Amino acid sequence: QAQLVESGGGSVQAGGSLRLSCVASEYITRVHSCVAWFRQAPGKEREGVAAIYTGGDTTLYADSVKGRFSISQDIAKNTVYLRMNSLTPEDTAMYYCAAQRGWACLPWWSQVTYFADWGQGTQVTVSS
């Protein structure tokens, strides 16, 4: 029933790297969609990190992760990835995959209300 399933989280030291994976269901992959990564730290609101339109090459990033994070897709595996480099303790959060089926990533993609489908999250912890 789950439309999106995340994996790849874990604990790393500052400066390390992780690659998160979001596997989408056939319901999602039947059409091109905006797929995004969000994160939420305790006591903070969920924020958009990066987004990709699966029908094009356009990618979007939050200013806080530009140059460090990279979002990509593997069409054959129905998977969207988030490569995270140069991690800092400020990156510690639960990371969620989200999708708006059939829509491009519009300017308001970073709003949680834009997305209809969400994964359950994968925890990323960065130690100093």
Side-chain angles (χ1 to χ4, degrees):
Q1 182 177 355
Q3 306 301 329
L4 303 166
V5 179
E6 307 101 324
S7 64
S11 298
V12 297
Q13 293 186 345
S17 299
L18 285 173
R19 188 182 71 166
L20 307 183
S21 299
C22 173
V23 179
S25 69
E26 292 184 357
Y27 171 78
I28 298 297
T29 60
R30 279 167 53 191
V31 298
H32 296 309
S33 305
C34 178
V35 179
W37 286 96
F38 284 72
R39 66 185 181 186
Q40 187 168 24
K44 298 182 178 179
E45 294 188 348
R46 193 169 299 188
E47 64 172 341
V49 175
I52 185 170
Y53 178 57
T54 61
D57 296 324
T58 300
T59 57
L60 300 163
Y61 299 94
D63 289 341
S64 60
V65 305
K66 287 181 179 178
R68 298 190 298 123
F69 291 10
S70 179
I71 189 170
S72 62
Q73 66 174 328
D74 186 327
I75 297 175
K77 295 183 177 180
N78 299 323
T79 302
V80 172
Y81 301 100
L82 183 68
R83 166 60 69 178
M84 305 183 294
N85 296 322
S86 302
L87 287 164
T88 73
E90 288 69 37
D91 296 314
T92 295
M94 183 73 74
Y95 283 72
Y96 299 90
C97 183
Q100 180 57 48
R101 181 177 180 270
W103 285 81
C105 299
L106 301 178
W108 51 91
W109 71 269
S110 60
Q111 298 293 315
V112 297
T113 54
Y114 182 74
F115 295 92
D117 296 286
W118 292 84
Q120 293 300 304
T122 184
Q123 178 68 38
V124 172
T125 302
V126 185
S127 61
S128 59

